[in-house]
Amino acid sequence: MQRVSQASVEVDGAVVGEIGRGLLVYLGVGVHDSVRDAEWMAGKIAHLRIFEDPEGRMNLSVLDLGGAALVISQFTLYADARKGRRPSYAAAAEPQAANTLYQATVDQLRSSLRRVETGMLQAEMRVSAVNEGPVNILLDSGGLF
């Protein structure tokens, strides 16, 4: 995820999701992920303190700020390019399972944050963002459940 001052996603030249200050989340779902992973991920995204407080310390969450999230489904996060010249996506969940857990994560976020936008699943998207900081955080629930 990235801390952003603005982010948007377009499909076929039309904006389908757009936020101001908040988080741009690229969400990959793996073959071993479950609803518990989706719940954990949504909680971590909403509550992780990566925004600066008045003293300049990263002490505030997107929830504390009343910020938004733009969540983009991103199976390529599971690319394994250690061998050969073409990445393997064997660790990525199949589309139906991935979509179910992606939506579960989005639904959980919507229960916490005032605004959650999304891209379009399995569509060719153009994502634009102004990264603040830059702050990029990798979250992985792997092995927790």
Side-chain angles (χ1 to χ4, degrees):
M1 69 181 180
Q2 298 178 338
R3 189 177 74 180
V4 298
S5 54
Q6 64 184 36
S8 63
V9 60
E10 294 181 10
V11 175
D12 295 328
V15 174
V16 297
E18 184 174 32
I19 63 167
R21 191 167 189 213
L23 296 172
L24 171 58
V25 178
Y26 292 104
L27 183 68
V29 178
V31 294
H32 299 295
D33 289 341
S34 68
V35 171
R36 287 187 71 192
D37 292 280
E39 291 168 350
W40 178 89
M41 188 64 66
K44 195 59 96 164
I45 291 166
H47 294 281
L48 196 64
R49 298 182 314 175
I50 61 170
F51 290 89
E52 294 177 354
D53 65 16
E55 287 80 44
R57 291 189 205 105
M58 281 195 213
N59 206 23
L60 300 174
S61 69
V62 69
L63 183 62
D64 296 330
L65 293 176
L70 174 59
V71 185
I72 306 296
S73 179
Q74 187 71 51
F75 81 94
T76 60
L77 289 170
Y78 277 92
D80 182 352
R82 292 176 291 179
K83 295 181 182 177
R85 295 180 183 226
R86 184 177 312 203
S88 167
Y89 299 102
E94 293 296 321
Q96 185 174 354
N99 291 345
T100 298
L101 293 179
Y102 168 83
Q103 195 58 55
T105 305
V106 168
D107 291 345
Q108 284 284 326
L109 281 171
R110 285 187 170 139
S111 71
S112 300
L113 302 180
R114 66 175 180 83
R115 184 168 178 203
V116 177
E117 298 284 321
T118 63
M120 292 181 74
L121 297 171
Q122 298 177 317
E124 185 71 26
M125 295 177 273
R126 291 191 182 270
V127 180
S128 300
V130 178
N131 192 329
E132 240 182 54
V135 174
N136 298 288
I137 306 289
L138 175 64
L139 297 176
D140 184 357
S141 63
L144 291 177
F145 305 105

